[in-house]
């Protein structure tokens, strides 16, 4: 059994698994060092293997119809969790009303509950009282730390002398975090010390040792928290490479992420995640996606740094289309393009290895 930070977890993703609103659950199903995921809750895919639904690669994590059926199955296999994790990531981070019953049931069974939503469970007196009665924890991962625990930008980022890569994207909910983890693991497999800088709640839930939650951090401290995470990883781990997870995209109307990562993380290079089949920004019909060329130019103008490669999200594609799409992107941008989720990151790592200082 793999070693995990916290314990076994059942992931709540009702109505959202295998959709952009389930990306926290997707991350946990694909990889986490914080939990051992023993199942996912989503009636639509009940009876399926979560890895098979998501990537066409079974991984032994079952999807259950509801809490009752999960309890029966997990008890029978002696696989009861100690955590319920909210795997939803909807626009605005709001908790659906129907989720509260499942959360109450988890607390009544003596499980801890972790949530990365903007609706803080610790603001609900009923849930807090139930957790206290059962002597378990509720953790709101997106709750902003007290100001005296936050860091302001210092300039110490200039001391970091290992290779720094930022995985930014042309849109939100695009797979930037997944690509960042794939790169970290591929570097490690290649014999290099690599560290992941998580910038969202899912990165923390996956066990990123150095992380902050960018979209709920007080604006004055966002740059400082990014810098602090990168500098801490460099000082404590002496890595060959640091990979910074991107957020949103520079031109997304609702999630214009990436500015602070470029300014404070000061990456040496940017890897740009892109979904060629998307025509409009995720969740915002009528907001046409800017071209790949415009997005690359914006990054390079803002940061003065090169986009070194494009990583492709193959949503909406058949498998036999992927390599041709990658070739077309290379012809258009003069940059190498890779689908690391489908084909692995070895070719991209080979390109990046020569940049390690």
């Amino acid at each position: 059994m793999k070693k995990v930070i916290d314990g076994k977890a059942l992931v709540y993703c009702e109505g959202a698994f295998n959709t952009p609103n389930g990306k926290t659950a997707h991350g946990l199903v694909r990889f986490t060092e914080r939990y051992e995921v023993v199942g996912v809750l989503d009636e639509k895919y009940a009876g399926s293997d979560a890895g098979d639904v998501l990537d066409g690669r079974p991984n032994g994590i079952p999807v259950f119809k509801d809490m009752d059926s999960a309890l029966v199955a997990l008890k029978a296999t002696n696989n009861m969790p100690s955590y319920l994790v909210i795997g939803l990531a909807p626009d605005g981070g709001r908790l659906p009303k129907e989720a509260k019953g499942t959360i109450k049931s988890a607390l009544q069974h003596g499980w801890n509950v972790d949530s990365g939503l903007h609706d803080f469970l610790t603001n609900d007196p009923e849930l807090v009282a139930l957790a206290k009665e059962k002597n378990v924890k509720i953790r709101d991962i997106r709750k902003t730390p007290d100001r005296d625990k936050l860091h302001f930008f210092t300039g110490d980022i200039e001391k970091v002398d290992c290779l720094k890569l930022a995985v930014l994207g042309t849109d939100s909910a695009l797979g930037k975090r997944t690509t960042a983890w794939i790169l970290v693991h591929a570097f490690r497999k290649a014999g290099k010390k690599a560290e992941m800088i998580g910038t969202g709640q899912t990165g923390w839930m996956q066990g990123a040792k150095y992380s902050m939650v960018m979209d709920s951090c007080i604006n004055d401290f966002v740059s400082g928290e990014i810098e602090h995470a990168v500098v801490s990883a460099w000082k404590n781990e002496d890595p060959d490479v640091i990979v910074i997870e991107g957020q949103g995209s520079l031109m997304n109307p609702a999630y214009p992420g990436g500015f602070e990562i470029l300014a404070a993380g000061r990456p040496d290079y940017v890897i740009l995640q892109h979904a060629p089949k998307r025509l409009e920004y995720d969740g915002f019909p009528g907001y046409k996606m800017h071209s790949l060329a415009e997005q690359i130019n914006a990054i390079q103008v803002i940061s003065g740094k090169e986009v070194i490669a494009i990583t492709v999200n193959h949503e909406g594609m058949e498998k036999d289309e992927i390599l041709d799409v990658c070739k077309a992107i290379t012809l258009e941008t003069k940059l190498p393009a890779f689908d690391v989720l489908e084909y692995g990151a070895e070719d991209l790592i080979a390109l990046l290895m020569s940049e390690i200082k």
Side-chain angles (χ1 to χ4, degrees):
M1 189 176 73
K2 72 172 184 175
K3 185 178 179 182
V4 294
I5 298 168
D6 288 328
K8 294 181 180 180
L10 180 66
V11 178
Y12 180 91
C13 198
E14 183 56 49
F17 197 64
N18 203 29
T19 78
N21 286 350
K23 68 178 184 178
T24 293
H26 303 164
L28 296 174
V29 162
R30 285 174 174 142
F31 163 78
T32 176
E33 293 177 345
R34 185 165 297 280
Y35 316 102
E36 179 189 346
V37 176
V38 297
V40 174
L41 295 177
D42 188 344
E43 184 176 6
K44 181 178 179 181
Y45 292 104
S48 302
D49 180 288
D52 190 35
V53 170
L54 202 56
D55 298 318
R57 292 190 282 269
N59 61 4
I61 297 174
V63 184
F64 299 110
K65 178 182 177 182
D66 52 28
M67 188 70 158
D68 289 342
S69 58
L71 285 168
V72 170
L74 294 172
K75 195 173 287 185
T77 56
N78 195 29
N79 214 16
M80 289 287 278
S82 54
Y83 283 85
L84 178 74
V85 180
I86 307 303
L88 304 173
D91 292 340
R94 309 315 300 267
L95 181 73
K97 289 181 181 178
E98 58 271 21
K100 187 172 177 179
T102 302
I103 294 168
K104 285 174 65 177
S105 177
L107 294 170
Q108 285 163 345
H109 281 89
W111 301 357
N112 305 288
V113 178
D114 285 350
S115 172
L117 298 178
H118 284 303
D119 278 337
F120 299 142
L121 304 184
T122 49
N123 288 348
D124 186 315
E126 184 183 10
L127 297 180
V128 170
L130 188 53
K132 186 175 181 181
E133 176 191 332
K134 297 295 182 179
N135 195 30
V136 293
K137 297 176 292 185
I138 297 174
R139 293 190 291 193
D140 285 310
I141 312 310
R142 255 180 172 151
K143 208 160 198 176
T144 305
D146 292 338
R147 284 164 174 77
D148 61 357
K149 294 179 180 176
L150 295 171
H151 301 85
F152 198 73
F153 185 80
T154 65
D156 284 349
I157 192 72
E158 304 300 344
K159 299 174 185 175
V160 178
D161 63 358
C162 67
L163 177 65
K164 300 190 300 298
L165 301 170
V167 180
L168 303 186
T170 57
D171 196 9
S172 59
L174 198 66
K176 298 179 287 291
R177 185 195 64 258
T178 298
T179 290
W181 276 120
I182 289 171
L183 289 175
V184 166
H185 295 149
F187 273 120
R188 290 174 180 172
K189 187 178 177 183
K192 298 298 181 182
K193 292 177 71 175
E195 285 297 325
M196 163 82 160
I197 304 299
T199 55
Q201 72 276 11
T202 309
W204 182 91
M205 287 177 168
Q206 289 179 297
K209 188 175 178 182
Y210 301 95
S211 59
M212 52 86 68
V213 183
M214 187 170 156
D215 69 5
S216 62
C217 188
I218 297 166
N219 189 264
D220 258 4
F221 297 96
V222 170
S223 289
E225 285 294 293
I226 293 168
E227 179 192 47
H228 178 72
V230 175
V231 171
S232 297
W234 173 68
K235 283 182 177 177
N236 297 339
E237 310 298 337
D238 189 27
D240 298 301
V241 57
I242 289 173
V243 181
I244 308 170
E245 172 199 2
Q247 289 295 324
S249 78
L250 294 183
M251 297 176 177
N252 184 294
Y255 311 114
F259 291 100
E260 294 97 334
I261 289 168
L262 292 171
R266 307 192 77 75
D268 298 298
Y269 295 101
V270 171
I271 294 161
L272 187 60
Q273 181 94 356
H274 179 57
K277 295 290 185 177
R278 286 198 194 180
L279 302 177
E280 299 174 321
Y281 285 103
D282 177 49
F284 299 96
Y287 286 85
K288 185 181 176 184
M289 289 268 291
H290 292 79
S291 71
L292 194 50
E294 288 175 296
Q295 302 244 16
I296 292 168
N297 184 58
I299 289 167
Q300 294 181 339
V301 167
I302 288 166
S303 66
K305 302 296 183 180
E306 291 178 39
V307 174
I308 197 170
I310 307 297
T311 46
V312 171
N313 176 328
H314 57 245
E315 66 180 26
M317 294 187 210
E318 299 297 329
K319 186 171 179 178
D320 60 7
E321 290 181 77
I322 296 172
L323 293 178
D324 285 340
V325 168
C326 289
K327 288 175 185 174
I329 288 172
T330 297
L331 285 172
E332 177 191 349
T333 65
K334 306 299 186 288
L335 295 171
F338 309 91
D339 184 338
V340 298
L341 182 61
E342 185 63 39
Y343 295 109
E346 287 76 12
D347 291 342
L348 177 53
I349 293 298
L351 170 73
L352 298 170
M353 288 285 269
S354 63
E355 303 298 334
I356 290 180
K357 298 167 185 177

